[in-house]
Amino acid sequence: MIVKTRAIVLHTLKYGERKVIVELLCRETGRTACIIAVPKTQKGRVQMQLLQPLTLLDVEVDIRSTVQLQHLRDVRMASPFVSIPFNPEKLSIVLFLAEFLYHATRGEQRNEQLFDYVENSICWLDGCEPPFANFHLVFMMRLARFIGFYPNIEEYREGDFFDLRDAMFVNKAPSHSDYLFAADAHRLLQLVRMDYNTMRLFRMSHEDRNRISDGIIRYYRLHVPGFPELRSLAVLKELWKS
């Protein structure tokens, strides 16, 4: 069955001399692993620049239930980036989010709302002006809404801790170690409540931002089976030190 769909590149892996396995998040088919031949010359149909992290594509995929790797028949750029490839901070965010999404959405079936959220977020980042240092934090917390462990912020009371295991605010520290202290729990609440347009109003120190990043990653590791440590997080933590 040939499916035409919008897709977002999450990960690529060289396979042999002239083939690439590409992991896509597709609007019509969810997470889809495809194999495609990439020519050595510039005259070929599919060039590697189309398969860079979080690139937005229009694709045709030959979907067959009997195989693990689907055949990618046609690939076209859907919306070229205007700033991400030329802005080191935005590029670092994109590389991090591609790795994050590769693990966070593993096994996701068709979920149009999730796809639209990711696509709209990427486009917002590409078109925005500084400051956007909190973008990845807001993105990760709001993504949890579509995956199934979004915290209930209505139960928050000042001074609450945040239980990472139960995804809820509690008035005393849990008996286990997977929780955020009150100050960071309040920062998490603020991240959940804000959007990309209002996040610039929320000031956070470099140390606080990195600590919250670690907390959110722990949150995902507790709720997404097999979610690993992210190698690209170390690079992101070096940004916005001043």
Side-chain angles (χ1 to χ4, degrees), residues 20-24 32-36 61 68-72:
V20 170
I21 296 172
V22 56
E23 289 274 357
L24 300 173
T32 307
C34 301
I35 190 164
I36 187 169
V61 188
Q68 289 185 325
L69 296 176
Q70 309 303 327
H71 179 57
L72 202 55

Side-chain angles (χ1 to χ4, degrees), residues 166-206:
D166 292 336
M168 62 188 298
F169 293 97
V170 292
N171 59 16
K172 62 180 181 179
S175 58
H176 55 77
S177 61
D178 294 317
Y179 66 90
L180 300 182
F181 286 99
D184 284 342
H186 185 254
R187 292 186 181 96
L188 193 75
L189 174 76
Q190 292 176 303
L191 289 171
V192 171
R193 284 178 169 170
M194 68 181 64
D195 58 29
Y196 299 138
N197 291 317
T198 60
M199 67 182 183
R200 66 184 61 218
L201 304 176
F202 180 43
R203 300 294 180 183
M204 195 184 303
S205 72
H206 181 257

Side-chain angles (χ1 to χ4, degrees), residues 46-204:
V46 178
Q47 300 299 324
M48 282 303 295
Q49 59 260 35
L50 294 179
L51 304 180
Q52 297 305 304
L54 297 195
T55 301
L56 306 177
L57 303 173
D58 287 318
V59 302
E60 289 185 15
V61 188
D62 187 358
I63 299 292
R64 301 185 185 186
S65 59
T66 56
V67 299
Q68 289 185 325
L69 296 176
Q70 309 303 327
H71 179 57
L72 202 55
R73 290 169 54 95
D74 191 33
V75 181
R76 300 173 188 229
M77 184 79 73
S79 181
F81 292 143
V82 297
S83 70
I84 287 173
F86 315 107
N87 184 306
E89 293 175 342
K90 289 185 179 183
L91 187 58
S92 295
I93 291 174
V94 161
L95 293 175
F96 166 75
L97 291 183
E99 184 184 8
F100 168 79
L101 286 166
Y102 174 70
H103 297 290
T105 64
R106 191 185 296 275
E108 281 290 320
Q109 302 299 311
R110 176 175 177 172
N111 186 334
E112 294 178 357
Q113 289 183 320
L114 183 151
F115 181 90
D116 291 346
Y117 168 71
V118 175
E119 181 182 35
N120 291 336
S121 297
I122 296 168
C123 291
W124 189 94
L125 178 64
D126 189 47
C128 78
E129 297 293 333
F132 47 81
N134 294 330
F135 177 86
H136 61 294
L137 304 179
V138 176
F139 177 91
M140 289 191 290
M141 284 310 303
R142 293 173 72 88
L143 184 80
R145 181 192 301 270
F146 305 100
I147 298 180
F149 48 93
Y150 197 63
N152 182 357
I153 64 175
E154 301 303 323
E155 297 179 355
Y156 175 81
R157 297 294 181 270
E158 186 175 355
D160 277 356
F161 298 79
F162 183 69
D163 188 323
L164 295 167
R165 293 186 184 180
D166 292 336
M168 62 188 298
F169 293 97
V170 292
N171 59 16
K172 62 180 181 179
S175 58
H176 55 77
S177 61
D178 294 317
Y179 66 90
L180 300 182
F181 286 99
D184 284 342
H186 185 254
R187 292 186 181 96
L188 193 75
L189 174 76
Q190 292 176 303
L191 289 171
V192 171
R193 284 178 169 170
M194 68 181 64
D195 58 29
Y196 299 138
N197 291 317
T198 60
M199 67 182 183
R200 66 184 61 218
L201 304 176
F202 180 43
R203 300 294 180 183
M204 195 184 303

